[in-house]
Amino acid sequence: MIICEKRKSVLDSTDHILVEGGPGSGKTTLALLKAHSIIRAGLLKKNQKILFLSFARATISRIEEQAKTMIDISEKRSLEVNTYHGFSWSVIQAHGYLLKNHRHFKLITPPNFAANIAGFENRDKIDAYKHELVDKHGTLCFDLFAELFCELLRRSEKIKKLISDTYPYIIVDEFQDTDTNEWNIIKYLGKDSKIIALADLNQRIFEFRGASVKRIPEFNNYFKGLRIDFGKENNRSNGLDIVQFGDDLLTGENKGKIYQNVHITKYKYYRSDLKLPLFLVIQQSFKRRKRDQKNKEWSLAILVKRKIDTLKISTYLNSKNINHEVIIDPEGPSLAAATIARIMEPTTDWNIKLLIHDITQHLRGRKGTKISQADLKMINFLESYSPGKKVTGAKRQQLIHEIENIVIERENVSFTGSPDKDWIITRNLFQNVNHEILRNIYEDSIYLRLLNKGAILLEKLTNSWRNTQSYKTASFLVEEALTQEHFAMTNRKYSGIFIMNLHKSKGKEFDEVIIWEELYNPIVNPDPKRTEQDKLALRVAVTRARKLTTFLTPISQPCILL
């Protein structure tokens, strides 16, 4: 990186700092250089650290990797990299008892919370339930982390001083995405710590959770420190026009322009192979990969708008024998995992009522908080069912019959002691079911990648077998593993093919990106109120590519922004 006058002013500043810039402008690199200069200048006392906070674990992983090349190992101990959630949780664990009458707090994972609030009529009822959980039971959902952390700082000068004494410099990444509580936390800590905020207003895609277009002006007005804007500088894909396309997308200037590194393909549907255009673009990407012999960790992301589209494309790639990984919202797979884990437990430790409870939780929460009236009726039926009770209705009779068959078949299962194999054996009890509720459990469980790359659950199940020759408390171990997985700072490198929605691509980088738009399901909402947010999400998606972005949109109904 060239140390220009702007960057030098950041390195030399002793004030609060706001660094603005688009994708690839070098904000993170500069922040790490700033951290390095602080450490080298001896500005930290013994046991003090620089705290680097970001939202996404993918960003954290990238920062950790980058820090290894820029900061010596001995100095790296003076830099702590964490997510907002992870850091907030550590503070709540240490001091939360001052707010709530609980010495220890339990966590409820987002999938289980989603299952518990399915069918709630309004936001007020959900908020009341969140606070009831923590007030009465000491059970905390992730959505309350920032609120409780903020309240601790508001009410305790000592805690503020303690944190600032430990972290006299705090780097806040993706500052434009902070909600009101997170912004208040930064203001409280900024009284005694120096804040270095990194922001890109055009990557503000989380307004639905409280991010605000006013956040950057608020920082300037409150801290009145150094403000630097790198504008459209681009070091990630330097010399390419990917970021330019993303910026033009926001203003409409992209229409009619030709870009070298962003391809717009308007495709026809082929009845014999509905996603043939996608397959052909992937083939071209494979060919480019083969020509690029130096790139051993080639990566391609296929980005879509909806969760259901990720599953459709995954099914399609499986039919073409193309290896890939799906990154989706955790509700369905996580709740399916809890059901499978229950069945893995010794049959003396559970009964059909417990299994039905897990099936009901999956039905409640697999779609987030959205639930249909038909599903609610089925949930009411399942919750009132007891063995031997007369069941009316063909669909309900089929469901109970297939659940009873799973219980009977489980009695005949002999486990191998290898958790990954035994997991699949148990999962396959659902493979030939016909009822949609049970079939959804099987399909969702296929997308649980914990046993492929996540060692946490595998290790826990292995230890359970080693100690008891069974998978005792497997359902609890799944819950525990999913909680740990949420905080895990895995330094993963993205290589191969990944499928995810637009929002999940934030903070990640790939060699190539394909944005797939389904016919009749436009990637941009025609409602003007939604279009602006969709534009921002699309800009983020386009600029995840280092080399090439391909946009596939149906010729009969092309994207309204192209």
Side-chain angles (χ1 to χ4, degrees):
M1 174 182 284
I2 299 173
I3 306 300
C4 62
E5 286 303 314
K6 284 184 178 180
R7 289 173 171 80
K8 189 174 185 304
S9 68
V10 171
L11 297 179
D12 293 341
S13 176
T14 59
D15 208 340
H16 299 289
I17 303 170
L18 173 65
V19 180
E20 295 180 75
S25 60
K27 299 187 298 295
T28 302
T29 302
L30 181 59
L32 290 174
L33 284 173
K34 177 68 175 177
H36 184 251
S37 69
I38 291 168
I39 297 167
R40 281 289 173 93
L43 299 178
L44 299 177
K45 298 176 183 178
K46 186 178 180 181
N47 297 325
Q48 284 187 331
K49 292 182 178 182
I50 300 167
L51 178 63
F52 197 126
L53 293 177
S54 190
F55 283 102
R57 286 182 295 161
T59 307
I60 294 295
S61 299
R62 187 161 46 82
I63 292 165
E64 289 277 14
E65 285 298 310
Q66 197 171 347
K68 289 178 184 177
T69 65
M70 298 176 62
I71 301 176
D72 294 341
I73 295 177
S74 59
E75 297 172 335
K76 177 69 171 56
R77 288 192 289 268
S78 298
L79 177 66
E80 180 178 325
V81 185
N82 206 339
T83 61
Y84 288 91
H85 262 160
F87 185 67
S88 298
W89 175 232
S90 66
V91 174
I92 292 168
Q93 282 181 302
H95 307 291
Y97 70 92
L98 296 171
L99 290 179
K100 306 295 180 182
N101 190 27
H102 302 285
R103 174 57 65 174
H104 301 289
F105 291 90
K106 299 172 289 184
L107 288 176
I108 181 169
T109 60
N112 278 320
F113 183 74
N116 288 357
I117 64 172
F120 279 30
E121 297 89 4
N122 55 55
R123 175 57 56 183
D124 289 342
K125 189 172 181 180
I126 293 172
D127 287 341
Y129 178 67
K130 288 179 190 176
H131 289 90
E132 180 184 351
L133 278 179
V134 68
D135 291 342
K136 292 185 177 180
H137 309 290
T139 300
L140 187 61
C141 73
F142 291 92
D143 286 352
L144 284 184
F145 278 20
E147 182 180 322
L148 263 61
F149 186 8
C150 185
E151 184 67 5
L152 281 168
L153 296 180
R154 187 183 71 82
R155 295 172 60 177
S156 174
E157 195 67 31
K158 286 186 177 180
I159 294 175
K160 276 190 292 188
K161 289 284 187 183
L162 178 64
I163 295 173
S164 289
D165 284 345
T166 306
Y167 306 102
Y169 298 90
I170 302 175
I171 301 169
V172 290
D173 193 21
E174 300 172 292
F175 173 71
Q176 75 282 344
D177 286 331
T178 51
D179 65 17
T180 301
N181 283 315
E182 289 154 351
W183 168 224
N184 284 331
I185 289 167
I186 292 166
K187 287 192 288 187
Y188 284 132
L189 296 179
K191 291 181 179 179
D192 294 295
S193 298
K194 294 300 180 186
I195 305 297
I196 302 162
L198 313 179
D200 177 5
L201 191 61
N202 289 331
Q203 289 198 62
R204 191 188 71 262
I205 63 174
F206 292 111
E207 286 193 347
F208 63 87
R209 61 173 292 276
S212 171
V213 69
K214 299 178 181 178
R215 197 69 72 228
I216 290 175
E218 285 174 336
F219 186 96
N220 296 324
N221 293 334
Y222 187 83
F223 287 115
K224 304 185 188 304
L226 175 66
R227 180 182 181 183
I228 296 295
D229 189 351
F230 294 133
K232 296 181 181 180
E233 288 187 35
N234 177 20
N235 300 300
R236 179 192 303 162
S237 51
N238 195 19
L240 309 183
D241 52 14
I242 296 171
V243 174
Q244 184 61 55
F245 175 87
D247 290 337
D248 290 346
L249 197 66
L250 300 180
T251 62
E253 293 179 27
N254 62 300
K255 293 186 177 182
K257 286 177 65 174
I258 303 297
Y259 297 84
Q260 296 299 313
N261 308 105
V262 178
H263 296 170
I264 308 297
T265 301
K266 296 180 180 179
Y267 67 88
K268 294 180 180 178
Y269 264 93
Y270 297 86
R271 290 185 180 179
S272 59
D273 191 344
L274 296 180
K275 292 182 173 59
L276 179 61
L278 176 63
F279 179 63
L280 295 176
V281 172
I282 293 172
Q283 281 188 320
Q284 291 300 315
S285 185
F286 280 148
K287 290 178 182 178
R288 285 188 291 271
R289 177 191 183 185
K290 287 182 179 179
R291 291 197 296 267
D292 188 4
Q293 297 295 326
K294 295 180 181 179
N295 190 356
K296 303 298 181 184
E297 295 180 347
W298 170 87
S299 57
L300 167 67
I302 302 170
L303 307 182
V304 296
K305 186 166 187 177
R306 306 176 306 162
K307 170 186 172 180
I308 191 171
D309 296 331
T310 66
L311 304 186
K312 286 180 181 177
I313 290 175
S314 178
T315 301
Y316 177 76
L317 295 191
N318 282 331
S319 73
K320 298 290 186 181
N321 297 314
I322 297 176
N323 291 328
H324 62 280
E325 185 170 341
V326 183
I327 300 177
I328 61 174
D329 291 326
E331 285 89 353
S334 298
L335 294 168
T339 306
I340 290 168
R342 176 79 69 190
I343 300 172
M344 290 180 74
E345 293 176 357
T347 54
T348 53
D349 290 357
W350 60 275
N351 54 39
I352 192 169
K353 285 291 288 182
L354 280 174
L355 176 56
I356 287 175
H357 171 268
D358 291 334
I359 292 169
T360 304
Q361 283 292 94
H362 179 263
L363 180 57
R364 279 181 171 278
R366 74 181 298 261
K367 297 177 183 177
T369 58
K370 298 176 182 177
I371 192 164
S372 67
Q373 287 300 313
D375 285 345
L376 280 174
K377 288 180 180 179
M378 187 60 77
I379 287 166
N380 291 334
F381 158 69
L382 287 170
E383 288 178 339
S384 65
Y385 173 78
S386 58
K389 183 178 180 180
K390 184 178 179 181
V391 177
T392 58
K395 293 292 288 183
R396 293 180 176 186
Q397 288 174 348
Q398 179 193 39
L399 176 59
I400 295 300
H401 175 67
E402 290 188 337
I403 292 173
E404 290 173 340
N405 278 348
I406 289 171
V407 174
I408 293 169
E409 289 175 19
R410 168 63 181 89
E411 293 282 358
N412 300 320
V413 169
S414 296
F415 287 136
T416 67
S418 176
D420 50 350
K421 293 178 181 177
D422 294 340
W423 184 276
I424 293 172
I425 289 171
T426 308
R427 188 181 74 190
N428 286 347
L429 295 176
F430 290 83
Q431 190 170 18
N432 297 315
V433 296
N434 293 307
H435 198 285
E436 182 183 20
I437 288 175
L438 302 181
R439 195 167 64 247
N440 286 337
I441 291 175
Y442 177 76
E443 291 173 355
D444 281 351
S445 67
I446 291 173
Y447 296 100
L448 185 78
R449 303 297 180 180
L450 290 176
L451 290 178
N452 290 344
K453 290 183 168 62
I456 297 174
L457 178 54
L458 185 60
E459 180 183 356
K460 289 180 180 296
L461 293 175
T462 299
N463 289 338
S464 177
W465 183 270
R466 186 183 297 121
N467 295 331
T468 67
Q469 292 298 293
S470 71
Y471 297 112
K472 199 170 182 66
T473 68
S475 54
F476 170 77
L477 297 178
V478 164
E479 182 77 7
E480 195 175 51
L482 289 171
T483 302
Q484 287 181 246
E485 183 78 10
H486 186 89
F487 293 110
M489 300 299 168
T490 52
N491 291 332
R492 78 169 300 173
K493 294 181 179 180
Y494 286 89
S495 59
I497 298 177
F498 296 85
I499 309 170
M500 67 193 79
N501 67 31
L502 303 182
H503 282 76
K504 287 195 177 298
S505 70
K506 193 163 191 283
K508 303 176 179 66
E509 294 180 9
F510 306 91
D511 289 306
E512 296 190 20
V513 166
I514 298 172
I515 299 173
W516 171 264
E517 182 175 43
E518 287 275 351
L519 185 64
Y520 306 126
N521 289 298
I523 211 160
V524 177
N525 197 302
D527 178 359
K529 293 180 181 179
R530 297 277 301 279
T531 298
E532 288 307 310
Q533 271 293 294
D534 287 345
K535 280 184 180 180
L536 293 171
L538 201 53
R539 176 184 180 267
V540 167
V542 167
T543 56
R544 297 308 89 200
R546 287 186 284 260
K547 297 179 180 179
L548 178 69
T549 293
T550 302
F551 201 114
L552 285 160
T553 184
I555 195 170
S556 60
Q557 192 186 55
C559 177
I560 61 175
L561 299 183
L562 302 179

